[in-house]
Amino acid sequence: MDAKGYETEREVNQWAVDTMNGVDPMEGYTQSYDAYLVSLRTIYQASLAEMQQDTDVQAFIQTKWGLTPDDINKFGLGRVTKEHLALVSEATVKQYHLASLVDRIIIPWVDNGVLVGLKGRKIDAYHAEEAIKSINISNKDKYPLPVFGYTVAEKALKRGQNKNNTLLVVESEMDALVARK
C-alpha cells in the first residue's frame, strides 16, 4: 500500500478523483525522481510495442478520432497491459499508481525531449462503466506537466512552419493530435 492508502482498483479511481480535487498523490513518497523517469520510460516503451500489435485498439482510435495506425505510431500512442507492470518494481507500481494505466490508450507527455508523464485515456471496451475518462501519471513537483503540445507548437512558430502565426487551443490531448494530423 502506498502513502495515501490507495491499493484496489476502486481506491486507484479515488486517487484519480483526489488528484483532480487538488490532493497531492506524491506527498510522502521517497523514490528518487530519476527512478521515476526510468520507470515511466520502461512502462511507456512496452506500451508502444503492445499498441503496434493491438489492432482492436487501433480500430477504436481510428473510429473515434480518425487516427490511422501510422498516426498512432507517429504520435507515440501506446497501451499498457498488466504484464508491463512486472517490468518495474511492485513498490513503484503502487507508488505511482501505474496499475491505473492498464488497458488505456497511453499518451506521452514530453517536455523539451524528456518524457515527464503519461496520460491513460480510457478505452470504452475495457472501461465502459468507469466515469473517469483519463488519468495523469506525473511527478508534478519535479516535472509539472506543460500545456500538451506546447513545445512542438512553440518550435514550429519559431521555425516559421506556421505561416499564419496561429496557435490552436483544443480541449484534450487527442484533439491536439487530431489537429496536428
Side-chain angles (χ1 to χ4, degrees), residues 79-82 101-105 121-123 126-127:
R79 178 176 162 252
V80 171
T81 67
K82 289 180 182 179
L101 294 175
V102 170
D103 289 330
R104 290 180 177 271
I105 297 166
R121 168 62 164 83
K122 83 175 185 176
I123 301 168
Y126 296 107
H127 301 279

PDB file of all heavy atoms in Angstrom, residues 79-82 101-105 121-123 126-127:
ATOM      1  N   ARG A  79      -0.352   1.269 -25.257  1.00  0.00           N
ATOM      2  CA  ARG A  79      -1.359   0.608 -24.428  1.00  0.00           C
ATOM      3  C   ARG A  79      -0.641  -0.265 -23.408  1.00  0.00           C
ATOM      4  O   ARG A  79       0.155  -1.124 -23.768  1.00  0.00           O
ATOM      5  CB  ARG A  79      -2.296  -0.258 -25.261  1.00  0.00           C
ATOM      6  CG  ARG A  79      -3.305  -0.991 -24.388  1.00  0.00           C
ATOM      7  CD  ARG A  79      -4.309  -1.795 -25.199  1.00  0.00           C
ATOM      8  NE  ARG A  79      -4.927  -2.755 -24.309  1.00  0.00           N
ATOM      9  CZ  ARG A  79      -4.692  -4.070 -24.335  1.00  0.00           C
ATOM     10  NH1 ARG A  79      -3.899  -4.584 -25.235  1.00  0.00           N
ATOM     11  NH2 ARG A  79      -5.283  -4.862 -23.476  1.00  0.00           N
ATOM     12  N   VAL A  80      -0.926  -0.038 -22.138  1.00  0.00           N
ATOM     13  CA  VAL A  80      -0.286  -0.791 -21.053  1.00  0.00           C
ATOM     14  C   VAL A  80      -1.133  -2.014 -20.717  1.00  0.00           C
ATOM     15  O   VAL A  80      -2.360  -1.932 -20.652  1.00  0.00           O
ATOM     16  CB  VAL A  80      -0.101   0.091 -19.794  1.00  0.00           C
ATOM     17  CG1 VAL A  80       0.362  -0.723 -18.605  1.00  0.00           C
ATOM     18  CG2 VAL A  80       0.885   1.213 -20.071  1.00  0.00           C
ATOM     19  N   THR A  81      -0.452  -3.155 -20.507  1.00  0.00           N
ATOM     20  CA  THR A  81      -1.118  -4.369 -20.024  1.00  0.00           C
ATOM     21  C   THR A  81      -0.609  -4.680 -18.618  1.00  0.00           C
ATOM     22  O   THR A  81       0.397  -4.122 -18.177  1.00  0.00           O
ATOM     23  CB  THR A  81      -0.825  -5.571 -20.933  1.00  0.00           C
ATOM     24  OG1 THR A  81       0.570  -5.889 -20.827  1.00  0.00           O
ATOM     25  CG2 THR A  81      -1.201  -5.297 -22.383  1.00  0.00           C
ATOM     26  N   LYS A  82      -1.279  -5.590 -17.942  1.00  0.00           N
ATOM     27  CA  LYS A  82      -0.841  -5.987 -16.594  1.00  0.00           C
ATOM     28  C   LYS A  82       0.582  -6.545 -16.621  1.00  0.00           C
ATOM     29  O   LYS A  82       1.355  -6.346 -15.696  1.00  0.00           O
ATOM     30  CB  LYS A  82      -1.802  -7.022 -16.002  1.00  0.00           C
ATOM     31  CG  LYS A  82      -3.139  -6.435 -15.625  1.00  0.00           C
ATOM     32  CD  LYS A  82      -4.062  -7.489 -15.045  1.00  0.00           C
ATOM     33  CE  LYS A  82      -5.409  -6.867 -14.736  1.00  0.00           C
ATOM     34  NZ  LYS A  82      -6.359  -7.821 -14.205  1.00  0.00           N
ATOM     35  N   LEU A 101      -3.044   2.651 -15.357  1.00  0.00           N
ATOM     36  CA  LEU A 101      -2.844   2.809 -16.795  1.00  0.00           C
ATOM     37  C   LEU A 101      -3.211   1.566 -17.604  1.00  0.00           C
ATOM     38  O   LEU A 101      -3.272   1.620 -18.827  1.00  0.00           O
ATOM     39  CB  LEU A 101      -1.381   3.154 -17.090  1.00  0.00           C
ATOM     40  CG  LEU A 101      -0.886   4.497 -16.575  1.00  0.00           C
ATOM     41  CD1 LEU A 101       0.602   4.639 -16.850  1.00  0.00           C
ATOM     42  CD2 LEU A 101      -1.663   5.639 -17.197  1.00  0.00           C
ATOM     43  N   VAL A 102      -3.462   0.449 -16.931  1.00  0.00           N
ATOM     44  CA  VAL A 102      -3.730  -0.808 -17.621  1.00  0.00           C
ATOM     45  C   VAL A 102      -4.978  -0.681 -18.499  1.00  0.00           C
ATOM     46  O   VAL A 102      -6.009  -0.148 -18.076  1.00  0.00           O
ATOM     47  CB  VAL A 102      -3.877  -1.978 -16.626  1.00  0.00           C
ATOM     48  CG1 VAL A 102      -4.388  -3.237 -17.313  1.00  0.00           C
ATOM     49  CG2 VAL A 102      -2.538  -2.254 -15.956  1.00  0.00           C
ATOM     50  N   ASP A 103      -4.838  -1.181 -19.733  1.00  0.00           N
ATOM     51  CA  ASP A 103      -5.920  -1.175 -20.722  1.00  0.00           C
ATOM     52  C   ASP A 103      -6.444   0.233 -21.003  1.00  0.00           C
ATOM     53  O   ASP A 103      -7.647   0.458 -21.129  1.00  0.00           O
ATOM     54  CB  ASP A 103      -7.067  -2.096 -20.298  1.00  0.00           C
ATOM     55  CG  ASP A 103      -6.679  -3.550 -20.398  1.00  0.00           C
ATOM     56  OD1 ASP A 103      -5.845  -3.874 -21.252  1.00  0.00           O
ATOM     57  OD2 ASP A 103      -7.193  -4.353 -19.602  1.00  0.00           O
ATOM     58  N   ARG A 104      -5.526   1.160 -21.120  1.00  0.00           N
ATOM     59  CA  ARG A 104      -5.841   2.533 -21.510  1.00  0.00           C
ATOM     60  C   ARG A 104      -4.932   2.929 -22.674  1.00  0.00           C
ATOM     61  O   ARG A 104      -3.843   2.397 -22.826  1.00  0.00           O
ATOM     62  CB  ARG A 104      -5.636   3.506 -20.348  1.00  0.00           C
ATOM     63  CG  ARG A 104      -6.657   3.338 -19.251  1.00  0.00           C
ATOM     64  CD  ARG A 104      -6.420   4.321 -18.119  1.00  0.00           C
ATOM     65  NE  ARG A 104      -7.452   4.197 -17.121  1.00  0.00           N
ATOM     66  CZ  ARG A 104      -8.596   4.864 -17.136  1.00  0.00           C
ATOM     67  NH1 ARG A 104      -8.842   5.731 -18.089  1.00  0.00           N
ATOM     68  NH2 ARG A 104      -9.507   4.682 -16.208  1.00  0.00           N
ATOM     69  N   ILE A 105      -5.398   3.888 -23.464  1.00  0.00           N
ATOM     70  CA  ILE A 105      -4.547   4.462 -24.500  1.00  0.00           C
ATOM     71  C   ILE A 105      -3.538   5.341 -23.777  1.00  0.00           C
ATOM     72  O   ILE A 105      -3.908   6.192 -22.971  1.00  0.00           O
ATOM     73  CB  ILE A 105      -5.376   5.313 -25.483  1.00  0.00           C
ATOM     74  CG1 ILE A 105      -6.399   4.439 -26.204  1.00  0.00           C
ATOM     75  CG2 ILE A 105      -4.466   6.035 -26.469  1.00  0.00           C
ATOM     76  CD1 ILE A 105      -7.462   5.226 -26.927  1.00  0.00           C
ATOM     77  N   ARG A 121      -5.909   7.255 -21.315  1.00  0.00           N
ATOM     78  CA  ARG A 121      -7.263   7.584 -21.781  1.00  0.00           C
ATOM     79  C   ARG A 121      -8.053   6.295 -21.865  1.00  0.00           C
ATOM     80  O   ARG A 121      -7.615   5.327 -22.478  1.00  0.00           O
ATOM     81  CB  ARG A 121      -7.171   8.279 -23.145  1.00  0.00           C
ATOM     82  CG  ARG A 121      -8.471   8.452 -23.920  1.00  0.00           C
ATOM     83  CD  ARG A 121      -9.456   9.316 -23.170  1.00  0.00           C
ATOM     84  NE  ARG A 121     -10.540   9.813 -24.005  1.00  0.00           N
ATOM     85  CZ  ARG A 121     -11.646   9.132 -24.302  1.00  0.00           C
ATOM     86  NH1 ARG A 121     -11.815   7.892 -23.905  1.00  0.00           N
ATOM     87  NH2 ARG A 121     -12.584   9.698 -25.023  1.00  0.00           N
ATOM     88  N   LYS A 122      -9.221   6.267 -21.266  1.00  0.00           N
ATOM     89  CA  LYS A 122      -9.982   5.014 -21.226  1.00  0.00           C
ATOM     90  C   LYS A 122     -10.351   4.534 -22.622  1.00  0.00           C
ATOM     91  O   LYS A 122     -10.578   5.317 -23.539  1.00  0.00           O
ATOM     92  CB  LYS A 122     -11.217   5.139 -20.346  1.00  0.00           C
ATOM     93  CG  LYS A 122     -12.431   5.750 -20.973  1.00  0.00           C
ATOM     94  CD  LYS A 122     -13.592   5.689 -19.989  1.00  0.00           C
ATOM     95  CE  LYS A 122     -14.869   6.186 -20.626  1.00  0.00           C
ATOM     96  NZ  LYS A 122     -16.003   6.050 -19.730  1.00  0.00           N
ATOM     97  N   ILE A 123     -10.352   3.219 -22.744  1.00  0.00           N
ATOM     98  CA  ILE A 123     -10.806   2.549 -23.959  1.00  0.00           C
ATOM     99  C   ILE A 123     -12.188   2.006 -23.613  1.00  0.00           C
ATOM    100  O   ILE A 123     -12.334   1.202 -22.706  1.00  0.00           O
ATOM    101  CB  ILE A 123      -9.851   1.400 -24.350  1.00  0.00           C
ATOM    102  CG1 ILE A 123      -8.433   1.930 -24.566  1.00  0.00           C
ATOM    103  CG2 ILE A 123     -10.373   0.662 -25.581  1.00  0.00           C
ATOM    104  CD1 ILE A 123      -7.379   0.854 -24.678  1.00  0.00           C
ATOM    105  N   TYR A 126     -12.948  -1.572 -22.552  1.00  0.00           N
ATOM    106  CA  TYR A 126     -12.401  -2.072 -21.287  1.00  0.00           C
ATOM    107  C   TYR A 126     -12.949  -1.337 -20.076  1.00  0.00           C
ATOM    108  O   TYR A 126     -12.950  -1.859 -18.978  1.00  0.00           O
ATOM    109  CB  TYR A 126     -10.878  -1.938 -21.279  1.00  0.00           C
ATOM    110  CG  TYR A 126     -10.191  -2.774 -22.317  1.00  0.00           C
ATOM    111  CD1 TYR A 126      -9.619  -2.200 -23.442  1.00  0.00           C
ATOM    112  CD2 TYR A 126     -10.117  -4.151 -22.178  1.00  0.00           C
ATOM    113  CE1 TYR A 126      -8.982  -2.968 -24.401  1.00  0.00           C
ATOM    114  CE2 TYR A 126      -9.489  -4.932 -23.134  1.00  0.00           C
ATOM    115  CZ  TYR A 126      -8.925  -4.335 -24.236  1.00  0.00           C
ATOM    116  OH  TYR A 126      -8.304  -5.101 -25.179  1.00  0.00           O
ATOM    117  N   HIS A 127     -13.361  -0.091 -20.246  1.00  0.00           N
ATOM    118  CA  HIS A 127     -13.757   0.741 -19.114  1.00  0.00           C
ATOM    119  C   HIS A 127     -15.118   1.394 -19.338  1.00  0.00           C
ATOM    120  O   HIS A 127     -15.331   2.536 -18.963  1.00  0.00           O
ATOM    121  CB  HIS A 127     -12.720   1.855 -18.901  1.00  0.00           C
ATOM    122  CG  HIS A 127     -11.342   1.351 -18.640  1.00  0.00           C
ATOM    123  ND1 HIS A 127     -10.939   0.923 -17.400  1.00  0.00           N
ATOM    124  CD2 HIS A 127     -10.282   1.198 -19.461  1.00  0.00           C
ATOM    125  CE1 HIS A 127      -9.676   0.548 -17.467  1.00  0.00           C
ATOM    126  NE2 HIS A 127      -9.256   0.697 -18.705  1.00  0.00           N
TER     127      HIS A 127
END
